[in-house]
Amino acid sequence: MRMISTRDTGRTGRSYTDVLLEGLAPDGGLYVPDEYPQFSHDELVALQSAPYTRIAFEVKRKLISGAIPDDVLKTMASEAYSEKNFDLVNGQVVPVTLNGDGLYVQNLSLGPTAAFKDMAMQFLGREMAYELSQRKESLVILGATSGDTGSAAEAAFKGLSNVTLAMLSPLEGMSDFQRAQMGSFSGGNIINISIRGRFDDCQDLVKAVKQDPEFAKLGAVNSINWARIAAQVPYYFSGYFQVAKNIGDLVDFTVPSGNFGNVLSGYIAKQMGLPIRRLVVATNENSVLHKLFTNGVYENTPAQITSSPSMDISKASNYERLVFDVLDKDADETREYMRIFNSTGKVSLEDFGVSVRAFEKLGFDSGSSTHANRLETIRSTYKDSSIVIDPHTADGVFIGRAKKTDVPMICLATALPVKFENTIREALGFVPERPQRFRGLEDVITTDAFTILDAQAVAVKELLRKCTMSL
Ligand SMILES: *Cc1c(COP(=O)(O)O)cnc(C)c1O
């Protein structure tokens, strides 16, 4: 198995570790495997009651095709998902519970920064540190965050001697907790930059800076990096194993979505042979993806700030990986499709001779929620099941309820409520007690934790030059 770019007609193959350090392909495309590795029925049976660290190892192993030695990979999985890093529940890293409304909820947020981003970042940090030391190289990474990616990456990369991590975040929109959490990592090899703009501006800046030959070697921690997607595939296996009575039974997943990274990992799991029937893409008021899966038109719509800020996007980078499959892995067509989208802000699948039904055939469905829907779902879940869910999870649960049929529905819980206390207070009139490790977080933040810049590539480049020169 080799990694290819969605826009490279020549199909120049790269290895998993090349792609890990490179992030975006030089032609602007995203890396995908040239074929999806497979799990047989017997292999699934053998893995069914394995601990998460073993599931993560076995699934990753197939996805990296020998690029990292087995014993090293095994150690990484054990360390990434250790009890030291994760607040295990009944020994589970990604526990599934059955709620009073008949939905299953899979908690992906027990890691160091209380969002599902930790699942991938804890692996990514270890893989990058290992590969860079093998190559005797160092790497400067520029990333963009709407809140959760930043702190998860910083927790994973803090103190690594061969990586400098600069994160761009929007000046407005993140919760106080998210801002404080990121700020707490500033210093040493971690640089936090606040951009006068939205998340989309941050994401565009990353692409603009990387296009400058001087910065072509910048690494990526956003989910444009295939390693992020690959590290998220195993928890779909674990969720499946916890719910399916027999291997072969079908389950559905509902996934609160923004940049389309999480649900894409579910799609990869399905392609690898995990018996997933449907993948429901759940969006908030920024419903670019819901519209896309409903009418086949992908349209860039300015993002508004909502009570589920980690999903506030106007375009979904990872969708390019899906459309590549939908267009029969034709790189010319994918490049043209993305060119039309990037130049006009809108592209229709039908113009490429593909019906919107193509998404359905691959298992996709979608829905969207409003602020009022999420508040009501937080309240009813608390009433039904005595658990407090965060607004992103509430988005998934709201849509999951509407989409549930006779097949078990697993909703992914993508953050802990502690990250969004204002919305929880609005819904319930109180906030649950914080886990010990997050108490007093906002008290320790220093005023110079963030450098504030205009949304201009020149400003970011200048700061990067200054910071990396002094290393
Ligand atoms: C990042 C994030 C999402 C969206 O995930 P994508 O992979 O970007 O689709 C949803 N919920 C939370 C809490 C997040 O941090």
Side-chain angles (χ1 to χ4, degrees):
M1 190 195 80
R2 302 285 288 166
M3 303 301 300
I4 53 170
S5 161
T6 50
R7 298 189 199 177
D8 179 13
T9 321
R11 309 223 154 184
T12 330
R14 313 279 281 141
S15 76
Y16 174 83
T17 37
D18 293 338
V19 163
L20 167 76
L21 300 182
E22 227 175 279
L24 198 66
D27 56 21
L30 301 189
Y31 283 114
V32 287
D34 60 359
E35 60 187 1
Y36 297 118
Q38 296 298 308
F39 272 90
S40 68
H41 180 88
D42 289 351
E43 284 175 310
L44 290 177
V45 171
L47 213 49
Q48 194 173 15
S49 15
Y52 190 71
T53 48
R54 166 120 184 274
I55 296 173
F57 165 69
E58 297 288 352
V59 175
K60 275 299 293 269
R61 186 166 174 264
K62 293 218 187 216
L63 283 167
I64 73 175
S65 148
I68 296 173
D70 279 359
D71 56 328
V72 177
L73 192 68
K74 205 176 255 176
T75 308
M76 282 180 194
S78 305
E79 287 177 1
Y81 307 114
S82 67
E83 259 176 88
K84 204 173 121 247
N85 264 345
F86 279 74
D87 281 342
L88 307 193
V89 174
N90 303 326
Q92 277 284 359
V93 178
V94 284
V96 177
T97 48
L98 179 58
N99 275 7
D101 56 6
L103 292 185
Y104 292 92
V105 173
Q106 184 177 9
N107 193 339
L108 305 178
S109 313
L110 300 176
T113 68
F116 88 94
K117 305 289 197 297
D118 288 323
M119 297 303 301
M121 285 308 177
Q122 284 298 320
F123 223 119
L124 201 70
R126 287 173 170 81
E127 288 177 312
M128 280 192 175
Y130 168 80
E131 188 57 25
L132 287 168
S133 73
Q134 290 297 105
R135 298 182 185 204
K136 301 191 172 44
E137 286 175 13
S138 63
L139 185 67
V140 178
I141 296 173
L142 181 64
T145 181
S146 54
D148 294 328
T149 298
S151 43
E154 292 174 5
F157 287 84
K158 179 87 188 169
L160 294 184
S161 59
N162 45 15
V163 179
T164 302
L165 174 64
M167 286 304 309
L168 308 181
S169 55
L171 194 53
E172 283 171 59
M174 291 200 295
S175 73
D176 294 344
F177 182 96
Q178 286 178 310
R179 178 162 298 278
Q181 196 175 40
M182 277 185 74
S184 73
F185 293 112
S186 283
N189 67 329
I190 307 293
I191 303 160
N192 274 312
I193 304 169
S194 254
I195 295 294
R196 291 192 185 92
R198 299 280 164 83
F199 168 66
D200 292 301
D201 298 309
C202 298
Q203 196 165 240
D204 290 343
L205 281 169
V206 171
K207 284 188 187 154
V209 172
K210 193 166 158 84
Q211 262 158 27
D212 181 335
E214 182 189 345
F215 294 96
K217 286 196 86 102
L218 283 178
V221 285
N222 283 96
S223 52
I224 53 166
N225 191 325
W226 168 256
R228 278 275 302 277
I229 305 299
Q232 292 171 175
V233 177
Y235 56 69
Y236 284 88
F237 281 75
S238 176
Y240 178 82
F241 292 143
Q242 290 177 66
V243 168
K245 290 201 172 61
N246 299 298
I247 298 298
D249 293 356
L250 291 171
V251 306
D252 292 340
F253 281 92
T254 299
V255 188
S257 294
N259 227 346
F260 203 68
N262 195 351
V263 71
L264 184 84
S265 298
Y267 167 75
I268 307 292
K270 182 172 159 71
Q271 295 300 314
M272 290 173 78
L274 194 67
I276 297 173
R277 186 186 63 162
R278 279 196 307 182
L279 290 158
V280 182
V281 181
T283 72
N284 62 21
E285 290 86 342
N286 296 298
S287 55
V288 178
L289 286 168
H290 175 47
K291 290 184 187 138
L292 166 68
F293 286 99
T294 309
N295 60 20
V297 179
Y298 183 36
E299 183 168 11
N300 183 340
T301 321
Q304 46 173 304
I305 295 175
T306 74
S307 54
S308 44
S310 305
M311 298 156 60
D312 291 348
I313 53 100
S314 63
K315 48 183 184 256
S317 299
N318 273 293
Y319 165 60
E320 182 167 342
R321 291 187 161 114
L322 178 67
V323 89
F324 179 67
D325 279 6
V326 170
L327 297 172
D328 282 331
K329 299 187 190 283
D330 185 324
D332 285 327
E333 292 235 303
T334 307
R335 193 179 334 102
E336 179 59 8
Y337 182 94
M338 290 311 299
R339 191 194 61 74
I340 295 172
F341 176 74
N342 289 326
S343 59
T344 69
K346 185 172 172 175
V347 60
S348 165
L349 209 51
E350 275 178 2
D351 292 348
F352 285 74
V354 181
S355 143
V356 64
R357 298 287 303 274
F359 293 133
E360 217 176 292
K361 285 198 196 116
L362 291 174
F364 285 97
D365 194 354
S366 68
S368 76
S369 75
T370 63
H371 178 62
N373 296 147
R374 294 189 291 277
L375 292 184
E376 177 46 37
T377 305
I378 292 170
R379 279 192 284 271
S380 58
T381 302
Y382 183 66
K383 212 167 130 217
D384 286 348
S385 315
S386 305
I387 59 165
V388 180
I389 55 173
D390 99 289
H392 303 78
T393 307
D395 168 80
V397 169
F398 174 76
I399 294 156
R401 281 178 187 163
K403 298 287 180 182
K404 186 181 173 337
T405 59
D406 50 341
V407 165
M409 173 65 84
I410 306 176
C411 296
L412 299 185
T414 51
L416 292 188
V418 65
K419 297 196 101 161
F420 307 97
E421 285 177 345
N422 288 346
T423 305
I424 303 300
R425 195 173 290 111
E426 189 184 344
L428 298 176
F430 70 91
V431 291
E433 204 185 348
R434 283 192 180 188
Q436 178 67 41
R437 62 204 168 101
F438 297 127
R439 288 186 200 152
L441 188 72
E442 291 92 331
D443 306 339
V444 295
I445 182 167
T446 55
T447 45
D448 58 357
F450 291 82
T451 305
I452 301 174
L453 294 181
D454 286 332
Q456 285 173 350
V458 280
V460 176
K461 289 182 198 174
E462 196 181 319
L463 185 71
L464 280 179
R465 275 189 210 107
K466 229 165 61 193
C467 296
T468 50
M469 253 164 30
S470 62
L471 289 176

